[in-house]
């Protein structure tokens, strides 16, 4: 048998190849590929069913013997379940988009490669088929040989060999039947295998090989193999169920750090036969990429529109397993993007390169409770030295020692904590290690504010485990009303340049407008009119403010806020009709916010009203939002919501509806506003969802919805969005940090539905997809989430409707086995 460079000092591998050659003489496929082998360049153009072998050379250097004796082994199991959809022929497209996914052709993940000038890469390819046979098999086997040669050329290893076991009738008796014989291989590639091709001894040998640290690579129909072998089903991750025609579709690559996907763009377009699987393997495997079912016809996987994994990997039973659902067509194996995808999978499975395989394996995380003695907890922040600060709405700030975890009270701040007021915002200074400053947004008691209530942003100095009450420096007041509820907001976030963002709710009664926009302009109903705050350019409420604190307690206003002198509003500032501190206006209750410290973009969650259904006279049902903000703007409330869906100008005195509001030029002519009438155009939400999608798309005729089904089906409904951090991986993080695949992910939560998810973005920063995170965790109203200095997550749970039973501060560590 011929092969690639075998190196010296490897007698056991030479013996292994001689064994395969000997077995091949008895009519089973067993020749290693080489460029000059007979059949090189032969290219099947049609898929040939397994029961009609053509008896010709089927691969470069891989021969299916046609003169095999009639007594060749026939004990190959063929008992796949009869109700399984088969991989039957479809109209095969002949062109695949050229490298729409490849960002560059550089070596995959150079930092992860471990070159060894003395190493040898030995790969065994199994492509025998006892079911449907793909025409791409021979092309794929040649491609695998070429990819292994590329690994040698790159200097990762000194030499390599590729052995192939192939037979169109499912005769895989050349496959080693002992773990010892398999031990010489660094990876075994199952290229479009179908049916049951290994006997009991071979299965046991392969299990032993994986148990000893071997590597498995599965391509496409490898998931349509051995339904009679549960261990194999667990190894591959999920079994094939059905497929689309061969059509163009888009893969969304959510792990762009793994060596098999780091060369791909976030959206990878290509032509393939898209597999549905019997189950979603997420949680048991690390998902590298999913296929977007909206980009092709024929998808039928249960829940697949929300989450349809198509490539994944995991550490399994002592070894490594990597699988991709792509690879149906010969064109796939000629595509540089796909070839590098497979090469990275082989290198990873063989242990030549590093790459995390546990990011979406939920058993890889450990949640440790740090504190439960909390009442209505609001915020958690972590100092660079590991001290954990937790606030409660009634005014207490606690600090947990970074080494012992022992909690103590750092501050008891007197506050007014009726309705939604209290101690509602807390953040450590970006330079906390030098300044020891902490910022608090709170509601001073009635005795302090008198008849003109306000909420206050102040700076305090932290001294070890205490906060000096006398160190308070007031930065900003936001005047409010305390006659009725609701919407305080109050979250604090810092940008990479030291700008401080403060979210402020619209301070408007939400219960007098039937769950629709509160636009009540009647005298005496001022607190029921959000036009006086969120749509009022002269009011700080219903906005997100951005200021740049100075050391002396004053602050500057960035020139690119919404209403600044630099943007031409000098006269309006002097007249008091605009506030330059406003960065975002037109928000209802932006309860939580964060800033991505790499891009500087703001992310915030905005609560919506309570209407359960459309009203032709009033407007949409309640919609909540997650928003990304790259520059100052207006998000439309109370005139528009969600994807710029307009409310109607309702006259509360007459009980009559006027026209729908215009997103391009909203006008505030309320007598309760003292700001500008002409407002900036309204921006649609980045992500949105109603309380329930049922009936949402049955909108009145005056509404033109941008979607006809949920745009992000993973956001299944709810009414209480919470914005967590944008995770940025740092190589200096500890072993318990989230893996690099989470870099740039925005964590989001639903307080009422008690879930935690993350949002992935493409190269332009646009939403790619939303995926679950720890979906089986028993959460009790997640309230806040922070990333510690070691890369671990700190989760704060409110605990029940009263904020007492079930409260918990916990640490989430990534601890793969």
């Amino acid at each position: 048998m011929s092969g690639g460079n075998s190196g010296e000092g490897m007698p056991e591998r030479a013996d292994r190849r001689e064994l395969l050659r000997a077995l091949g003489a008895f009519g089973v496929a067993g020749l290693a590929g080489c460029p000059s082998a007979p059949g090189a360049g032969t290219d099947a153009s049609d898929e040939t069913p397994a029961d009609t072998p053509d008896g010709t050379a089927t691969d470069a250097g891989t021969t299916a013997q046609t003169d095999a004796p009639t007594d060749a082994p026939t004990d190959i199991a063929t008992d796949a379940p009869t109700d399984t959809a088969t991989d039957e022929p479809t109209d095969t497209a002949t062109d695949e988009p050229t490298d729409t996914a490849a960002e560059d052709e550089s070596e995959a993940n150079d930092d992860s490669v471990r070159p060894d000038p003395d190493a040898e890469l030995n790969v065994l390819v199994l492509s025998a088929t006892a079911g449907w046979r793909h025409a791409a098999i021979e092309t794929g086997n040649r491609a695998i040989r070429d990819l292994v040669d590329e690994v040698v050329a790159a200097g990762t290893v000194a030499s390599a060999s590729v052995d192939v076991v192939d037979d169109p009738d499912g005769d895989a008796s050349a496959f080693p039947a002992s773990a010892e014989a398999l031990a010489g291989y660094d990876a075994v590639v199952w290229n479009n295998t179908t049916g049951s091709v290994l006997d009991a001894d071979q299965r046991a040998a392969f299990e032993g090989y994986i148990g000893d640290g071997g590597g498995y690579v599965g391509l496409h129909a490898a998931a349509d193999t051995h339904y009679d072998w549960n261990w194999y089903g667990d190894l591959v991750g999920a079994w094939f169920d059905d497929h689309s025609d061969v059509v163009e579709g888009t893969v969304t690559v959510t792990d762009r750090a793994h060596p098999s996907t780091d060369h791909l763009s976030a959206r990878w377009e290509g032509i393939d036969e898209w597999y549905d699987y019997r189950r979603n393997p997420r949680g048991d495997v690390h998902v590298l990429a999913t296929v977007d079912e909206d980009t092709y016809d024929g998808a039928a996987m249960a829940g697949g529109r929300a989450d349809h994994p198509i490539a994944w990997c995991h550490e399994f039973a002592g070894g490594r397993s990597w699988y991709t659902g792509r690879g149906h067509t010969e064109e796939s194996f000629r595509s540089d993007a796909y070839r590098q995808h497979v090469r990275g999978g082989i290198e990873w499975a063989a242990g030549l390169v590093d790459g995390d395989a546990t990011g979406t394996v939920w058993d890889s995380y450990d949640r440790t409770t740090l504190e439960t003695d909390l009442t209505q907890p609001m915020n958690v922040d972590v100092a660079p030295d590991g001290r954990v600060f937790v606030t409660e709405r009634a005014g207490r700030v606690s600090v947990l020692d970074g080494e012992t975890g022992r909690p103590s009270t750092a501050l008891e701040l007197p506050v007014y904590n009726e309705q939604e007021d209290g101690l509602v915002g807390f953040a450590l200074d970006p330079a906390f290690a030098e300044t020891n400053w902490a910022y608090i947004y709170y509601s001073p008691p009635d005795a302090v504010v008198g008849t003109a209530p306000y909420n206050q942003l102040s700076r305090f100095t932290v001294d070890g485990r205490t906060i000096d009450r006398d160190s308070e420096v007031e930065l900003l007041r936001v005047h409010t009303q305390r006659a009725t509820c609701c919407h305080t907001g109050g979250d604090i976030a810092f940008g990479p340049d030291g700008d401080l963002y403060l979210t402020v709710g619209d301070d408007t009664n939400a219960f007098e407008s039937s769950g629709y926009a509160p636009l009540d302009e009647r005298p005496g109903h001022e607190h029921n009119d959000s036009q006086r705050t969120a749509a009022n350019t002269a009011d700080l409420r219903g906005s997100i403010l951005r200021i740049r604190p100075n050391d002396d307690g004053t602050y500057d206003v960035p020139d690119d806020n919404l209403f600044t002198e630099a943007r031409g509003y000098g006269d309006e500032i002097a007249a008091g009709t605009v506030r330059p501190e406003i960065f975002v206006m037109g928000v209802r209750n932006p309860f939580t916010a964060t800033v991505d410290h790499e891009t500087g973009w703001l992310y915030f969650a905005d609560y919506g009203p309570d209407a359960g259904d459309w009203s032709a006279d009033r407007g949409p049902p309640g919609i909540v939002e997650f928003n990304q903000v790259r520059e100052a703007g207006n998000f439309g409330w109370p005139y528009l919501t969600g994807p710029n869906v307009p409310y109607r100008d309702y006259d509360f005195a007459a009980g009559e509806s006027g026209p729908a509001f215009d997103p391009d030029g909203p006008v505030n002519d309320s007598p309760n506003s003292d700001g500008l009438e002409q407002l900036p155009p309204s921006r649609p939400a980045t992500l949105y969802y109603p309380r329930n999608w049922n009936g949402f798309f049955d909108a009145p005729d005056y509404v033109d919805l941008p979607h006809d089904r949920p745009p992000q089906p993973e956001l299944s409904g709810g009414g209480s969005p919470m914005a967590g951090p944008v995770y940025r991986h740092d190589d200096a993080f500890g072993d318990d940090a989230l893996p690099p695949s989470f870099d740039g992910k925005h964590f989001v939560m639903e307080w009422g539905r008690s879930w935690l998810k993350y949002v992935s973005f493409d190269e332009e920063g646009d939403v790619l997809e939303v995926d679950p995170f720890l979906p089986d965790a028993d959460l009790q109203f997640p309230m806040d989430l922070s990333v510690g200095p070691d890369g671990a997550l700190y989760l704060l749970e409110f605990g029940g409707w009263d904020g007492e039973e079930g409260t918990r501060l916990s640490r989430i560590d990534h601890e793969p086995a």
Side-chain angles (χ1 to χ4, degrees), residues 174-244:
F175 191 91
S178 72
E180 292 77 10
L182 283 168
Y185 293 107
D186 301 290
V188 179
V189 181
W190 293 51
N191 177 20
N192 275 306
T193 52
T194 55
S196 298
V197 295
L198 299 187
D199 63 25
D201 290 340
Q202 291 169 319
R203 298 180 199 183
F206 192 61
E207 290 185 19
Y209 164 77
I210 294 295
D212 289 337
Y216 165 86
V217 173
L219 307 182
H220 193 55
D224 189 22
T225 303
H226 271 298
Y227 297 96
D228 55 344
W229 187 11
N230 289 335
W231 180 92
Y232 179 80
D234 293 337
L235 170 73
V236 68
W239 269 316
F240 162 83
D241 186 48
D242 206 341
H243 63 77
S244 71

Side-chain angles (χ1 to χ4, degrees), residues 1 6 13-21 122 161 163:
M1 175 182 297
S6 60
R13 287 180 179 149
D15 291 344
R16 177 199 69 218
R17 289 192 288 273
E18 289 301 320
L19 173 63
L20 286 173
R21 177 188 296 167
N122 297 286
S161 68
D163 297 334

Side-chain angles (χ1 to χ4, degrees), residues 65-207:
Q65 301 286 341
T66 60
D67 56 353
T70 56
D71 60 347
T74 58
D75 58 345
I76 307 300
T78 58
D79 51 349
T82 57
D83 60 347
T84 304
T86 58
D87 193 1
E88 297 178 351
T90 54
D91 293 333
T92 303
T94 57
D95 270 330
E96 177 154 348
T98 309
D99 292 334
T100 58
E103 291 193 310
D104 59 65
E105 299 303 326
S106 60
E107 296 304 324
N109 203 3
D110 290 339
D111 292 341
S112 69
V113 177
R114 300 190 297 274
D116 184 348
D118 299 322
E120 180 178 346
L121 172 61
N122 297 286
V123 174
L124 174 63
V125 179
L126 175 64
S127 53
T129 51
W132 178 258
R133 185 168 181 84
H134 286 71
I137 285 177
E138 288 75 27
T139 304
N141 287 344
R142 289 194 297 273
I144 293 167
R145 178 208 65 218
D146 293 342
L147 295 177
V148 169
D149 287 345
E150 289 178 12
V151 177
V152 177
T156 306
V157 296
S159 60
S161 68
V162 175
D163 297 334
V164 175
V165 176
D166 184 29
D167 187 81
D169 291 326
D171 185 350
S173 56
F175 191 91
S178 72
E180 292 77 10
L182 283 168
Y185 293 107
D186 301 290
V188 179
V189 181
W190 293 51
N191 177 20
N192 275 306
T193 52
T194 55
S196 298
V197 295
L198 299 187
D199 63 25
D201 290 340
Q202 291 169 319
R203 298 180 199 183
F206 192 61
E207 290 185 19

